[in-house]
Amino acid sequence: MTVTKTLWVALSLVSTGAWANPAPVTELGRNNTPNQQLGTSGAGTLEQRLATLERVVEARAQGQIRMQQQLHLLLEEVSQLRGVTETHTYQLDEMLQRQRDLYQEIDRRVSALQSTPAATPPVSANQNNVPTVSYSSNMSENDAYDKAVNMVLKDRRYDAAIPEFEAFLQTYPQSGYAPNAHYWLGQLLFNNNELAKAKTHFERVVTNFGDSSKVPDALLKLGQVAERENNKEAALKFYRQLIKDHASATSARLAQERIDALK
């Protein structure tokens, strides 16, 4: 609408100039008046300039739209990368946890080989230097526990290991292996996303076997269960309890990392 009005004013000015300075009759017939030609040329130039300005404005607008689209895509990529990083961090923590479990089982088996059946059951010290019975003189008990553990470490039959640990705990509820068995069972159920059952076994480690070296790891897993249940407050509670009661444990460092991530 503004462009049309501007053109109308320009044409009016040119027309007024033509009436004020009439051209000779002889040139009117031959050249169709120079002032009219000038007026037409001036109008054409103005239209071209306005058209050029419109093209410039449109090009800039399109450029801004493209920049906004690119910025939106970059923000989405950053968000995706952040999610991938958090996933990898969690998976690394899980891998480190499995390695610790494996090293503990290797150490237990080496110590068991060095002991004799007639000897007093060897003991090991936990994080608070409180002695706890680690091995049994009952060979059937040892065999039953080893069978369940081997399904995880050697055969990797994780689902089949669950009933083996359950049967072991039912047969030997007061075994020196009980805290480890509860922890292994909780870990297997946690991996299957059976969070309620997993939580029960981790809680039994903390509540019933407070002297066990598996307590710090069980507290860490309780925090992870709470995170999966979207219970941030409960997760922070378990992590802080772990750091307070077992500050020297390796799992305490992982707990601090989770606290920092949840803040």
Side-chain angles (χ1 to χ4, degrees):
M1 188 70 178
T2 304
V3 174
T4 304
K5 183 177 179 180
T6 304
L7 291 174
W8 177 258
V9 173
L11 291 173
S12 298
L13 292 173
V14 172
S15 176
T16 303
W19 282 103
N21 298 291
V25 176
T26 54
E27 294 184 2
L28 183 62
R30 183 175 58 190
N31 298 324
N32 199 22
T33 75
N35 284 331
Q36 287 182 352
Q37 291 179 348
L38 179 60
T40 304
S41 176
T45 301
L46 182 59
E47 289 178 350
Q48 292 174 357
R49 290 180 179 178
L50 291 173
T52 300
L53 288 174
E54 288 179 352
R55 288 194 296 271
V56 170
V57 172
E58 184 179 357
R60 288 183 178 179
Q62 291 178 351
Q64 290 178 348
I65 292 174
R66 287 194 295 270
M67 289 180 63
Q68 290 176 350
Q69 292 174 342
Q70 292 175 353
L71 178 60
H72 180 69
L73 290 174
L74 288 174
L75 291 174
E76 286 186 347
E77 290 179 359
V78 169
S79 178
Q80 291 175 357
L81 288 174
R82 184 180 293 112
V84 170
T85 301
E86 291 178 354
T87 300
H88 287 172
T89 300
Y90 178 79
Q91 291 175 345
L92 179 60
D93 290 345
E94 288 290 304
M95 185 182 301
L96 292 173
Q97 181 63 51
R98 288 194 294 271
Q99 287 180 342
R100 286 198 299 273
D101 293 338
L102 177 60
Y103 293 150
Q104 289 175 358
E105 287 303 319
I106 292 174
D107 181 66
R108 183 191 68 80
R109 295 184 181 204
V110 170
S111 298
L113 289 174
Q114 294 174 349
S115 65
T116 60
T120 302
V123 298
S124 62
N126 64 2
Q127 301 292 336
N128 299 318
N129 294 321
V130 178
T132 59
V133 176
S134 298
Y135 318 118
S136 172
S137 57
N138 185 330
M139 297 307 296
S140 297
E141 181 180 341
N142 288 331
D143 291 341
Y145 181 73
D146 286 344
K147 179 181 178 182
V149 171
N150 285 334
M151 284 189 173
V152 177
L153 299 181
K154 289 185 177 181
D155 303 332
R156 297 187 179 182
R157 297 171 57 196
Y158 304 122
D159 290 338
I162 292 176
E164 288 295 330
F165 278 114
E166 290 175 338
F168 174 82
L169 288 170
Q170 185 175 2
T171 305
Y172 308 101
Q174 301 302 320
S175 170
Y177 304 129
N180 280 27
H182 278 294
Y183 180 83
W184 275 107
L185 190 51
Q187 180 66 50
L188 292 168
L189 293 167
F190 179 83
N191 291 341
N192 286 348
N193 207 35
E194 298 181 58
L195 300 182
K197 293 182 179 180
K199 182 179 179 180
T200 298
H201 288 284
F202 293 135
E203 287 176 339
R204 286 179 181 173
V205 174
V206 175
T207 304
N208 300 340
F209 306 96
D211 295 337
S212 172
S213 61
K214 300 305 294 181
V215 171
D217 293 333
L219 286 171
L220 180 67
K221 298 306 297 187
L222 284 170
Q224 293 175 352
V225 169
E227 280 197 66
R228 285 199 180 183
E229 293 176 337
N230 295 320
N231 192 340
K232 179 180 176 181
E233 293 302 321
L236 290 173
K237 176 183 176 182
F238 288 121
Y239 293 144
R240 287 166 180 161
Q241 181 182 350
L242 168 55
I243 294 174
K244 177 184 176 182
D245 297 341
H246 309 278
S248 61
T250 303
S251 51
R253 178 183 59 80
L254 298 177
Q256 185 60 56
E257 291 177 359
R258 295 309 308 154
I259 291 175
D260 295 339
L262 292 173
K263 286 182 178 179

